[in-house]
Amino acid sequence: MPTFVTQSLEEIRFWSRIMKEHAFFLSLGFTSDQTELIQEAKQFIPVFERIEEQASIYNETTDPQVIKQFNIQVYQATTYIWAYKRKVLGLIISCKIISNNFPLLVDHTSREAYYFAKRLKELNEGKLIPLPEAIIQENVFFLKIMADHSKFIGHLLDPSERKLVDQAREFSHDFDQLLYQAQDLDHMRPQSETRPLLDQFLDQNRVSVVALRDFKKSARDLIEACKIKSIIHPLLADHVYREADHFLHIIDAFDAHLTAQKR
């Protein structure tokens, strides 16, 4: 079972890179005259780069108290970027700025920052073992993320890439349906927290996430090879692929936990 130290470092190594890339993507979406917002976004890049460097120094033998303080440090940086993202979302929605960042994309990145900060807080509170309600709630969160990704891909592909656009829309519909089912299970808690229901829930989600992960990988490789037309940055294509792969690891960890309980 992962220890407090290893689990903390795994979360930070994954999500600090995601936060750094969010700052970069947001900076690209502003118009050239929005220099203050661009600079504000870019200032988060070195912040999370330093966090990545610090995380690479630590390992499973690092003193847990050192990691606890590191979690607090990263938590603070993450709450700052979350607040920045919510500010940008407010400016876009109230039409105070015109941006090439979709409001849903800005909201999406802020939800991920909130999730990361929450995970760090939970780890420092000693919440390591996945509880039944966490299995459902984590899937609600990540299914929404996957549904959003599918919509972004569909909108950022060139309209002439009709087959890929159709595939992205199909994934969007599939993950919307999975999300509704997960929300239904969430509303039925705690009665829905039975092992057979959770087993089926994870198995069903895994099938769709594997398919979406493979689609994202193909799209990423095609974009990098300049074989399809889109306005998707190659780093963004890799970014959404990594998040799908991360979700699969979480599903597998929950599945392993349920299997261990059966023994």
Side-chain angles (χ1 to χ4, degrees):
M1 188 182 78
T3 65
F4 165 73
V5 170
T6 58
Q7 200 164 338
S8 295
L9 291 176
E10 283 171 9
E11 294 283 358
I12 291 171
R13 285 168 183 157
F14 178 79
W15 286 108
S16 59
R17 181 179 178 185
I18 295 295
M19 294 300 112
K20 178 184 70 176
E21 291 171 355
H22 283 173
F24 174 65
F25 298 142
L26 290 172
S27 73
L28 293 180
F30 295 114
T31 55
S32 59
D33 61 315
Q34 293 164 347
T35 53
E36 190 174 328
L37 287 170
I38 293 169
Q39 286 308 116
E40 203 172 348
K42 285 183 175 179
Q43 76 178 3
F44 288 107
I45 296 173
V47 169
F48 284 99
E49 280 178 344
R50 284 193 295 271
I51 288 169
E52 285 183 293
E53 288 167 10
Q54 198 170 343
S56 70
I57 296 168
Y58 299 139
N59 57 45
E60 64 275 5
T61 65
T62 303
D63 183 347
Q65 286 304 313
V66 170
I67 298 301
K68 192 167 188 176
Q69 288 305 309
F70 186 37
N71 284 352
I72 293 169
Q73 173 195 335
V74 181
Y75 173 88
Q76 290 170 339
T78 306
T79 56
Y80 291 146
I81 196 171
W82 172 82
Y84 169 73
K85 291 167 177 176
R86 298 308 291 182
K87 179 182 80 172
V88 170
L89 178 62
L91 291 172
I92 296 170
I93 286 180
S94 61
C95 300
K96 290 180 180 174
I97 63 167
I98 302 298
S99 170
N100 293 319
N101 293 309
F102 294 130
L104 182 62
L105 185 144
V106 181
D107 175 59
H108 174 101
T109 65
S110 77
R111 276 183 270 122
E112 292 186 346
Y114 182 87
Y115 170 89
F116 181 26
K118 181 168 168 283
R119 284 295 300 126
L120 292 168
K121 187 169 181 288
E122 287 172 346
L123 286 165
N124 272 12
E125 291 170 352
K127 297 177 182 175
L128 301 180
I129 300 172
L131 302 171
E133 64 265 24
I135 293 177
I136 295 173
Q137 290 170 343
E138 288 270 310
N139 276 266
V140 168
F141 172 80
F142 277 102
L143 290 169
K144 170 64 174 165
I145 294 299
M146 296 301 111
D148 289 351
H149 284 174
S150 304
K151 293 172 178 62
F152 299 147
I153 293 167
H155 284 298
L156 296 172
L157 286 164
D158 189 84
S160 68
E161 296 286 358
R162 290 173 173 80
K163 189 168 181 59
L164 287 174
V165 170
D166 283 346
Q167 283 181 273
R169 286 174 179 162
E170 287 169 11
F171 277 117
S172 172
H173 176 73
D174 184 28
F175 278 92
D176 280 345
Q177 295 305 110
L178 290 172
L179 174 60
Y180 299 148
Q181 287 183 195
Q183 288 171 335
D184 288 340
L185 269 186
D186 193 29
H187 296 153
M188 294 176 191
R189 288 194 301 109
Q191 287 79 8
S192 61
E193 292 166 3
T194 70
R195 201 166 298 149
L197 279 179
L198 293 176
D199 279 339
Q200 169 62 12
F201 177 60
L202 292 175
D203 288 345
Q204 189 175 41
N205 290 347
R206 181 186 289 103
V207 170
S208 291
V209 178
V210 167
L212 179 60
R213 189 270 313 268
D214 292 347
F215 171 73
K216 287 175 174 179
K217 184 177 185 298
S218 296
R220 180 198 65 185
D221 294 346
L222 290 169
I223 289 166
E224 288 178 351
C226 198
K227 290 184 176 180
I228 59 172
K229 303 174 291 299
S230 79
I231 56 171
I232 301 173
H233 194 289
L235 182 60
L236 178 59
D238 186 58
H239 178 99
V240 297
Y241 161 75
R242 277 182 274 117
E243 288 192 2
D245 198 53
H246 185 70
F247 185 19
L248 279 175
H249 287 305
I250 290 172
I251 290 174
D252 289 342
F254 283 144
D255 193 42
H257 175 69
L258 291 176
T259 302
Q261 282 188 322
K262 292 176 186 176
R263 292 170 185 163

